[in-house]
Amino acid sequence: MTTTWTRRMLANVALGLILLGALLGPGTQALAAGRGCQDNLIAVALAPGLPRNQQVFARLCLPEGPPPATVQLLVHGITYTHLHWDFPDPTGGTARYSYVNAALEAGFATLAMDRIGGGASSHPLGALVTIESNAYVVHQVVQALRAGSVRGPAGALGFSRRWCSSATPTAPSPPGTRRPTTRMSMASSSAG
């Protein structure tokens, strides 16, 4: 009785994975991909002192109009990819499941990345993919944004330091002066 239930459960899981694979196969484009987005491969190391011989996939999307003041770094949960943030609607071409489209509509830029070991990013040995290596990789992605080495949809255009700031607070500007707004926000999914 238990083995029959186990086989039935495994068959259902396999069917679900096949259907999900068909939905997210290589021919499926994320909704925001055509809206001013550029795919990037960012060279990273797994730990300080190691060579930058791994790559992180990241899709930078910009809203229409002038450059935004905030870049939202989107980091998915353990079993997802960058598509978690820009999931296509299975019933049609709507944007109702796309966080990226909602952020673009609100005037924010997004950088949705595949964590190391997932999606289109490098897949090092599993023992090397730790909480510490993930944190160090995300830190390097932030540094790439600051350095302007993440390419935008216009080719050579990338983010410069003025588009994102460090996690440390800055001193307030004196009254009557205006300082460029420089913010970075980070979103992560907890499920998965």
Side-chain angles (χ1 to χ4, degrees), residues 21-192:
L23 177 66
L24 296 177
T28 302
Q29 280 264 338
L31 294 174
R35 289 194 62 186
C37 298
Q38 175 67 39
D39 293 347
N40 289 267
L41 288 175
I42 303 168
V44 296
L46 294 178
L50 293 180
R52 289 181 175 247
N53 61 355
Q54 305 293 320
Q55 292 185 329
V56 168
F57 172 87
R59 176 172 288 149
L60 175 64
C61 296
L62 299 174
E64 294 179 14
T70 302
V71 179
Q72 294 184 359
L73 177 59
L74 307 177
V75 181
H76 60 81
I78 195 164
T79 60
Y80 297 106
T81 68
H82 70 280
L83 291 177
H84 171 76
W85 303 102
D86 193 22
F87 199 79
D89 181 359
T91 63
T94 71
R96 67 179 169 171
Y97 296 122
S98 175
Y99 178 85
V100 171
N101 275 322
L104 294 175
E105 291 293 324
F108 295 104
T110 63
L111 183 69
M113 63 177 277
D114 281 343
R115 289 173 40 177
I116 199 75
S121 291
S122 295
H123 292 259
L125 293 174
L128 300 175
V129 180
T130 63
I131 293 172
E132 292 81 11
S133 65
N134 267 277
Y136 187 64
V137 166
V138 171
H139 171 72
Q140 292 169 86
V141 170
V142 171
Q143 294 301 320
L145 277 169
R146 287 183 176 158
S149 59
V150 177
R151 295 173 56 89
L157 173 67
F159 282 99
S160 66
R161 187 169 182 88
R162 67 180 168 82
W163 284 44
C164 52
S165 67
S166 66
T168 58
T170 58
S173 299
T177 62
R178 188 178 154 112
R179 193 151 118 175
T181 305
T182 57
R183 295 183 301 268
M184 174 178 282
S185 61
M186 185 170 177
S188 76
S189 62
S190 58

